[in-house]
Amino acid sequence: MNKQTVAINNPFVRPDVYGALAVPVYNNVAFEFDDAAEMADAFCNRIKAPDYARVENPTVTNFEQRVKALTGAEHVTAFNSGMAAISNTLLAVSGQDRNIVSSHHLFGNTLALLTTTLRRFGVEPRLRDLTNLEAVAEAIDDKTCAVFLEVVTNPQLEVANLKAIAEIAHKKGVPVIADSTVIPFTETNLKALGVDVEVVSSTKYLSGGGTSLGGLVIDYGTFPEINKRVKYELLFNLGAYMTPQAAYMQTLGLETLDVRYQRQASNALWLAHELSKVVKVNYVGLENNPYHALALQQFGPTAGAMFTIDLASKEVCFRFLNRLQLVHRATNLFDSRTLAIHPASTIFGNFPEEQLAEMDVRQTTIRLSIGLEDKEDILADIKQALG
């Protein structure tokens, strides 16, 4: 079946007793068993049955199974935020005196996780230019536990060659972990490019309208110890599992993801073309973008629903934001609504100027997440705010 059909019709793990078409919200903590043997088998994972909602819940399991069917993954685990998905995955591979090869071009909290939190536990971040394959190869040694990157960086919109990086990493027995939030997994086949584990903030496209927090670890099974640690150690010991309410809302979002994403991506491409006539636009969907050909090759014909514009100064950026009437001044990405933010003073606001320069986060940049409104209305609001 095609992906849109799978998104709507993937069967429940166990048939609903009432024949519900939409998975119910199992808003409970404990589950009863017929006898002691069944209880023991469930707790020791000898049978597929929920035992305690901190580690398994039928509503969440249904969501995980749909994502698994759509991606062809070996394992999918749902967490309560995108950062929880990232942190649990990196904790699964790392340890004292190990290193993670990554980039300065990361979302602010992800970068802080690598450079502050994990560093305190003895994990070394090796931040390199991942578009330089020689630099990637040089950075990997026998203590490297992963190469981690964003498939399209936020907000720089850099695209690295995933297949080439995977070939380098795999020759040295190192997994590639990719944050694929910017392009939906329904549009890509990152497994074919050599990605071993995808991490996704399902808060974004999947939640549909900024309704719920969530994160996904999509594991293709090429490094089995990763899922073993994520599912049977960290999920149990850190307690960051997705809630059934969030799983229900994101399952509904998954069913409409394709139609929403196609509209958002087409809106973004049209707006990027129009705005490039009056301001500097950075969007990998534009043919003159330096990463356009590689993005087309890796992700297909759509380029996501995020782009940036650059204005004269921080003050001009603030004036632009203050004049917006339809577009919302808010963080988050891929809401149904169009959102605008000044990353340097918000998401990256606590980083010193020299570090902002390393990350290529400029005071002149506005990040736009394009929604489902009429594209002409979005353009009119942006143009009037530009003055």
Side-chain angles (χ1 to χ4, degrees), residues 35-55:
D35 53 46
E38 184 188 25
M39 179 182 283
D41 286 343
F43 270 76
C44 295
N45 204 43
R46 290 187 290 268
I47 62 171
K48 186 68 176 172
D51 49 30
Y52 189 60
R54 178 164 52 80
V55 294

Side-chain angles (χ1 to χ4, degrees), residues 29 86 137 203 227 285 301 317 348 375 380:
V29 171
I86 293 169
T203 307
N227 178 69
C317 287
F348 299 89
K375 61 188 180 183

Side-chain angles (χ1 to χ4, degrees), residues 81-342:
S81 71
M83 283 307 306
I86 293 169
S87 59
N88 276 264
T89 303
L90 294 184
L91 284 169
V93 298
S94 63
Q96 191 170 13
D97 297 324
R98 304 298 300 274
N99 65 74
I100 297 172
V101 174
S102 190
S103 168
H104 288 283
H105 293 173
L106 293 172
F107 172 66
N109 291 119
T110 307
L111 186 66
L113 171 68
L114 285 170
T115 59
T116 304
T117 307
L118 289 178
R119 192 193 287 273
R120 286 198 294 110
F121 292 94
V123 182
E124 176 196 355
R126 292 188 173 176
L127 306 182
R128 302 291 190 270
D129 176 2
L130 298 188
T131 65
N132 181 341
L133 296 177
E134 289 183 3
V136 175
E138 180 274 331
I140 298 173
D141 61 20
D142 59 358
K143 290 194 174 184
T144 302
C145 57
V147 175
F148 175 79
L149 74 163
E150 297 172 2
V151 298
V152 180
T153 66
N154 171 18
Q156 303 87 355
L157 286 96
E158 175 185 273
V159 179
N161 189 322
L162 295 173
K163 191 170 185 177
I165 288 173
E167 287 174 356
I168 293 168
H170 292 164
K171 283 179 182 176
K172 300 186 179 184
V174 172
V176 175
I177 301 167
D179 183 335
S180 60
T181 298
V182 173
I183 307 287
F185 52 74
T186 49
E187 298 295 309
T188 62
N189 184 0
L190 298 193
K191 179 183 179 182
L193 297 175
V195 171
D196 301 292
V197 179
E198 287 185 61
V199 290
V200 179
S201 174
S202 55
T203 307
K204 309 303 192 289
Y205 288 117
L206 267 68
S207 75
T211 60
S212 52
L213 290 168
L216 293 165
V217 177
I218 302 171
D219 188 326
Y220 292 107
T222 44
F223 288 80
E225 69 277 8
I226 298 177
N227 178 69
K228 184 177 179 181
R229 288 177 179 165
V230 167
K231 195 80 172 179
Y232 302 109
E233 177 189 332
L234 298 170
L235 188 64
F236 282 74
N237 296 345
L238 298 183
Y241 196 44
M242 181 177 278
T243 66
Q245 295 91 341
Y248 174 76
M249 287 187 281
Q250 295 192 5
T251 300
L252 295 180
L254 189 60
E255 293 183 356
T256 62
L257 172 61
D258 184 64
V259 290
R260 288 185 291 103
Y261 173 70
Q262 297 303 330
R263 173 67 176 269
Q264 286 179 273
S266 64
N267 274 357
L269 179 59
W270 184 85
L271 285 161
H273 273 296
E274 293 300 310
L275 288 170
S276 64
K277 300 171 185 176
V278 291
V279 293
K280 182 180 177 182
V281 176
N282 183 14
Y283 181 56
V284 296
L286 293 176
E287 291 183 1
N288 63 356
N289 185 280
Y291 300 112
H292 176 73
L294 182 58
L296 192 65
Q297 176 188 330
Q298 294 189 148
F299 314 130
T302 61
M306 175 182 73
F307 62 80
T308 65
I309 60 174
D310 270 85
L311 306 179
S313 65
K314 177 181 177 179
E315 292 71 28
V316 174
C317 287
F318 273 38
R319 186 167 69 244
F320 168 79
L321 288 170
N322 291 342
R323 294 181 63 174
L324 291 169
Q325 297 173 7
L326 172 66
V327 176
H328 299 268
R329 293 174 291 274
T331 191
N332 198 18
L333 288 169
F334 316 133
D335 195 308
S336 298
R337 305 156 191 82
T338 298
L339 311 175
I341 195 167
H342 181 251

